[in-house]
Amino acid sequence: MDFSYSARTADLLDTLGRFMDEHVYPAEPVYDEQLAAADNPHEQPQIMRELQARARELGLWNLFMTHDGLGAGLTNLEYAPLAEMVGRSIIGNEAINCSAPDTGNMEILAMFGTEEQKARWLRPLLDCEIRSAFAMTEPDVASSDATNITSTIRRDGNDYVVNGRKWYTSGILDPDCKLIVFMGKSDPEAPAYRRQSMILIPADAPGVEVLRDLPMFGFHDRLGHGEVQFTDVRVPATNMLGAEGDGFAIAQGRLGPGRMHYAMRAIGMAERALDLMCRRALERTAFGGPLAERGVVREWIARSRIEIDQIRLLVLKSSWLMDTQGNAAARAEVAAIKVAAMEVAHAVVDRAVQTFGAAGVSNDTVLARMHAITRALQIADGPNEVHLRTIARLEVKKHR
């Protein structure tokens, strides 16, 4: 395994680093101010449109996309350090059009979409002319087991009729959201993993009702996490993504790379938290000396450095496996990094919060929001326990 940067990654890292320092970090408070002043708290702030325009000029656009020559053409291993760098900022991913749920939706459209579907939805998403939402999780069932999904997709002549209630439907509140990728049960009598399908629903289709915007530990995401009721939503049969019954397989194709991206960005959050912790420890004096001289704080710093570097190596290994042997070969490693990266990032952020004291739980720093994100992401895209179950099953299988 060779984890050295390719020439292209090194060049992009240099450009991205300057973009982050000169544009993204200074834009963070402006972004929040513009959101607070807007009539609609889900409207994209003007500063983000300016950041995206600059990112496109610099060639920092759709770096995650590897399919059909549509993006930068980077491997997972090449993209990993770039994703880590943008993960240092809450708004970094959006600035380069590499933010969820659009990334996953674009990937499955590229992999499974028809030419018509790609022209109507994928191209505008790649150009950030529209946004999209992903509707899979349901409030009344344990959605970590996709076979539990109760929403229905029923064939009716040349149409499908969709019914169900979803929640934490990411992206649905953005006024630019024009597409909902919906997962539901299309054949209850089929084998367990052939019962589900995915279908493309225009966000303004009759019968789509956003009931509320759900917070995440008190924070409302700019894109929104909606609870959405779908009542007799009728869409053409040509809106089916892939074939009927492909929903579970498509979901796995979407969530695997998505978990990789989450882990990469989590390292970035952990690095920024460690940086803030060290700065605070050097600047803050208590009981006759800087916090950096206190043994407990030094241990927090040391353990954080060890844990971050360990997780980075595991992420790079997983990226290398996906590139060289395929996603299936890296199944255990991808599950492992989804668990470990979030746990480490949350632990490092938590130490930074403690180092900042009262300021750490305020909104004066980015730490409180990172604390919420890193905790919530231990549930999103499959809770830690589901991934631990996968790892254990694969490990035990070796000994049978």
Side-chain angles (χ1 to χ4, degrees):
M1 285 176 273
D2 182 2
F3 298 152
S4 58
Y5 296 152
S6 69
R8 187 164 186 209
T9 296
D11 288 343
L12 284 169
L13 274 174
D14 181 63
T15 304
L16 181 60
R18 284 186 278 109
F19 176 65
M20 296 290 290
D21 290 338
E22 296 171 11
H23 299 280
V24 175
Y25 297 131
E28 288 176 338
V30 181
Y31 184 94
D32 289 339
E33 289 165 8
Q34 290 182 353
L35 270 184
D39 293 333
N40 183 345
H42 301 290
E43 183 80 47
Q44 187 181 59
Q46 177 59 33
I47 188 67
M48 179 53 67
R49 298 186 187 276
E50 295 169 8
L51 287 174
Q52 289 180 335
R54 182 61 178 151
R56 295 192 77 160
E57 291 173 2
L58 295 170
L60 302 171
W61 197 250
N62 294 329
L63 299 178
F64 74 96
M65 178 60 82
T66 60
H67 303 287
D68 298 331
L70 295 170
L74 301 172
T75 65
N76 287 297
L77 189 58
E78 288 177 315
Y79 179 56
L82 300 166
E84 176 185 331
M85 183 172 285
V86 295
R88 289 172 174 246
S89 172
I90 299 296
I91 65 173
N93 304 313
E94 187 178 357
I96 64 171
N97 204 34
C98 291
S99 57
D102 288 340
T103 47
N105 289 344
M106 284 188 268
E107 285 180 323
I108 58 176
L109 280 166
M111 293 167 66
F112 303 101
T114 65
E115 291 307 312
E116 180 185 356
Q117 291 168 350
K118 291 177 184 179
R120 182 177 180 185
W121 305 116
L122 178 56
R123 189 72 258 173
L125 283 168
L126 288 165
D127 291 336
C128 207
E129 295 172 356
I130 64 171
R131 297 300 302 261
S132 64
F134 185 64
M136 180 176 176
T137 304
E138 298 180 5
D140 296 328
V141 300
S143 301
S144 56
D145 179 358
T147 61
N148 284 335
I149 286 176
T150 60
S151 296
T152 59
I153 303 172
R154 179 177 56 84
R155 184 71 183 250
D156 183 23
N158 293 325
D159 296 334
Y160 282 100
V161 178
V162 175
N163 282 280
R165 180 171 293 201
K166 301 289 187 178
W167 74 344
Y168 283 95
T169 300
S170 302
I172 192 69
L173 274 298
D174 189 330
D176 293 328
C177 178
K178 305 301 180 186
L179 169 67
I180 302 167
V181 180
F182 180 98
M183 184 165 174
K185 193 167 287 185
S186 53
D187 184 357
E189 305 305 318
Y193 297 105
R194 294 292 303 170
R195 295 172 187 169
Q196 307 83 16
S197 296
M198 282 198 190
I199 198 159
L200 307 176
I201 302 176
D204 60 356
V208 176
E209 181 186 5
V210 179
L211 303 176
R212 57 174 172 153
D213 177 32
L214 293 154
M216 186 175 65
F217 289 110
F219 290 100
H220 282 272
D221 187 75
R222 204 278 293 173
L223 300 175
H225 296 295
E227 182 170 358
V228 190
Q229 180 66 44
F230 297 83
T231 306
D232 293 331
V233 180
R234 185 174 290 271
V235 295
T238 53
N239 281 29
M240 179 64 67
L241 185 62
E244 196 172 301
D246 284 350
F248 187 85
I250 294 173
Q252 292 305 304
R254 181 188 193 279
L255 296 174
R259 289 164 184 151
M260 177 72 73
H261 297 166
Y262 278 136
M264 294 167 179
R265 294 194 293 264
I267 297 171
M269 283 188 271
E271 284 286 7
R272 187 167 185 190
L274 177 55
D275 179 67
L276 290 169
M277 190 194 322
C278 291
R279 291 172 185 270
R280 180 74 168 187
L282 288 168
E283 296 167 356
R284 203 71 166 178
T285 298
F287 304 105
L291 293 178
E293 293 182 0
R294 302 289 167 251
V296 65
V297 177
R298 287 192 170 195
E299 182 174 339
W300 291 345
I301 292 169
R303 290 193 179 279
S304 296
R305 170 47 59 210
I306 292 168
E307 292 162 3
I308 291 171
D309 287 351
Q310 287 175 328
I311 294 305
R312 181 181 289 109
L313 286 171
L314 185 54
V315 168
L316 292 174
K317 178 194 175 186
S318 303
S319 301
W320 176 83
L321 276 173
M322 291 176 74
D323 290 337
T324 58
Q325 299 180 39
N327 292 3
R331 189 177 177 193
E333 285 77 10
V334 170
I337 62 172
K338 176 59 171 65
V339 175
M342 294 308 157
E343 288 184 345
V344 166
H346 190 66
V348 175
V349 172
D350 194 64
R351 292 167 188 148
V353 167
Q354 197 73 6
T355 305
F356 271 77
V361 299
S362 76
N363 286 339
D364 286 358
T365 75
V366 73
L367 291 172
R369 196 173 306 178
M370 283 184 169
H371 198 269
I373 291 170
T374 53
R375 182 61 187 87
L377 286 178
Q378 294 179 54
I379 298 172
D381 256 12
N384 285 4
E385 291 73 18
V386 170
H387 299 299
L388 291 170
R389 175 177 176 268
T390 297
I391 297 163
R393 187 173 66 247
L394 293 172
E395 193 66 23
V396 170
K397 186 177 179 181
K398 299 174 186 177
H399 300 275
R400 290 197 184 280

